[in-house]
Amino acid sequence: MRRLLLVVAALLLAACGSPDPAPPAVGNTGPGPCSPTTTIESYSDALEGRVANLSALATRPDGTVYALSDRSVLYTLDATATRALGSVPLADPAGQPLDSESLVIDRDGSLLIGDETGPQVLRYSPDGRLLGALPIPADIVGRTQDNATFEGLALQPDGTLVASLEKPLTGEADTRLLTWRAGVPGPEIPMPLPADLGVSELVAVGDGRLLALERGYDETTGNTVHLMLVDPRTSPAGVTVLADLGACPSLGATAKQPQRNPLLDNIEGMTITGRDPDGALELLLISDDNDNPQQITRTYRLRTVL
């Protein structure tokens, strides 16, 4: 199975990650406000047709970016996030592909990846070798909604791993943030969530708080994407809307399906790429095209002040 996955990854990179120079980024007409705290700097469609199904991002120490496909492939993108440099296949403990939706780089350099089909959180080496798995809290087993589990992972400065459930457990109104410390399950924090939205990403900002993406879709109006500030130090977690990305200027973007703002698509991944001297966070976001010709693989550069 691993040999087959290696072949598949090589074919994907050959098809999607052309060695030719990436086309120039588009949408660089100048930044524009999305909200009083958040500005969109640019967007780019340079990865469209080259890499697909990207559901999570993580910035590496050298400035390049891991991009996780939910089809069980881990890509490395260049620092501009416009070109794929390489890929490795992933497999679960049974040698089967993952529905890989979330990603974080642990302090030892290993990768923690959330798999929705388990659900499970698995540990890998950067070259794709499976190193182990975290225990899943018994109280959530059998109670998760289908295809609505570990969409977000974040690593706090003290080493606590936080995972967001995309949707609440069956019979509950709030979703949950699950935690592990040194691989041991810890407190579970309720997180209020609008009924029509789900948590698609989670990122630690370094002071105990988290950034999250709330995402939804309607056939007539398209995607809804909110950038949220989440404080898991309270229960339930405090949640503040930093920006409705539908309110950002479109920067000349076009959409392949109905969208209230043609800039939007199915945004699932987010990572912090830097901090301004004044403390503002520089963010990279990415959309998952679901291998759908009516969707697009698009990256976004945002700046937000907490």
Side-chain angles (χ1 to χ4, degrees):
M1 174 59 70
R2 180 166 176 79
R3 180 175 296 176
L4 176 59
L5 287 169
L6 283 167
V7 172
V8 170
L11 291 173
L12 282 171
L13 187 58
C16 300
S18 168
D20 295 331
V26 295
N28 294 312
T29 57
C34 305
S35 73
T37 65
T38 304
T39 298
I40 184 163
E41 303 288 327
S42 64
Y43 79 92
S44 173
D45 294 343
L47 293 174
E48 171 63 7
R50 296 173 172 235
V51 203
N53 305 299
L54 300 182
S55 58
L57 298 172
T59 302
R60 304 176 68 192
D62 65 358
T64 60
V65 179
Y66 282 131
L68 183 66
S69 164
D70 59 22
R71 308 300 169 90
S72 204
V73 179
L74 178 70
Y75 292 95
T76 300
L77 307 180
D78 68 356
T80 67
T82 59
R83 186 165 61 94
L85 303 177
S87 67
V88 295
L90 304 171
D92 70 9
Q96 298 301 308
L98 311 174
D99 182 0
S100 38
E101 296 283 355
S102 50
L103 167 68
V104 73
I105 303 173
D106 206 347
R107 293 186 292 183
D108 63 359
S110 64
L111 309 178
L112 291 163
I113 290 176
D115 170 33
E116 280 201 320
T117 54
Q120 54 193 337
V121 178
L122 303 172
R123 185 182 298 276
Y124 293 86
S125 65
D127 63 0
R129 289 180 294 112
L130 180 63
L131 302 177
L134 298 186
I136 302 303
D139 63 313
I140 76 163
V141 175
R143 300 181 57 206
T144 57
Q145 297 188 47
D146 289 341
N147 198 39
T149 57
F150 297 136
E151 284 274 349
L153 286 176
L155 188 67
Q156 297 281 36
D158 66 357
T160 298
L161 180 71
V162 185
S164 55
L165 295 177
E166 182 182 4
K167 291 283 190 177
L169 297 175
T170 302
E172 296 188 359
D174 292 342
T175 191
R176 294 192 191 189
L177 300 175
L178 308 182
T179 65
W180 290 261
R181 186 72 183 274
V184 178
E188 299 176 17
I189 302 106
M191 177 179 164
L193 184 70
D196 58 342
L197 300 179
V199 181
S200 67
E201 184 61 289
L202 204 64
V203 177
V205 302
D207 62 3
R209 295 178 296 174
L210 305 163
L211 287 177
L213 293 177
E214 284 183 349
R215 173 202 55 181
Y217 177 72
D218 179 89
E219 289 186 356
T220 58
T221 58
N223 289 100
T224 296
V225 184
H226 296 155
L227 177 65
M228 315 294 295
L229 182 63
V230 180
D231 192 342
R233 298 170 294 188
T234 63
S235 185
V239 178
T240 303
V241 179
L242 295 177
D244 176 352
L245 299 193
C248 297
S250 67
L251 302 183
T254 58
K256 297 181 179 182
Q257 59 183 336
Q259 293 281 1
R260 63 190 179 99
N261 182 337
L263 181 73
L264 294 180
D265 209 285
N266 179 39
I267 301 175
E268 287 202 9
M270 176 172 61
T271 185
I272 297 171
T273 58
R275 294 177 185 266
D276 289 352
D278 62 0
L281 298 178
E282 299 167 2
L283 306 178
L284 173 68
L285 282 64
I286 199 162
S287 62
D288 176 1
D289 71 346
N290 291 311
D291 265 344
N292 183 341
Q294 297 304 309
Q295 294 179 271
I296 193 167
T297 300
R298 175 172 287 168
T299 58
Y300 307 79
R301 299 280 182 175
L302 276 73
R303 179 180 181 274
T304 192
V305 179
L306 303 183

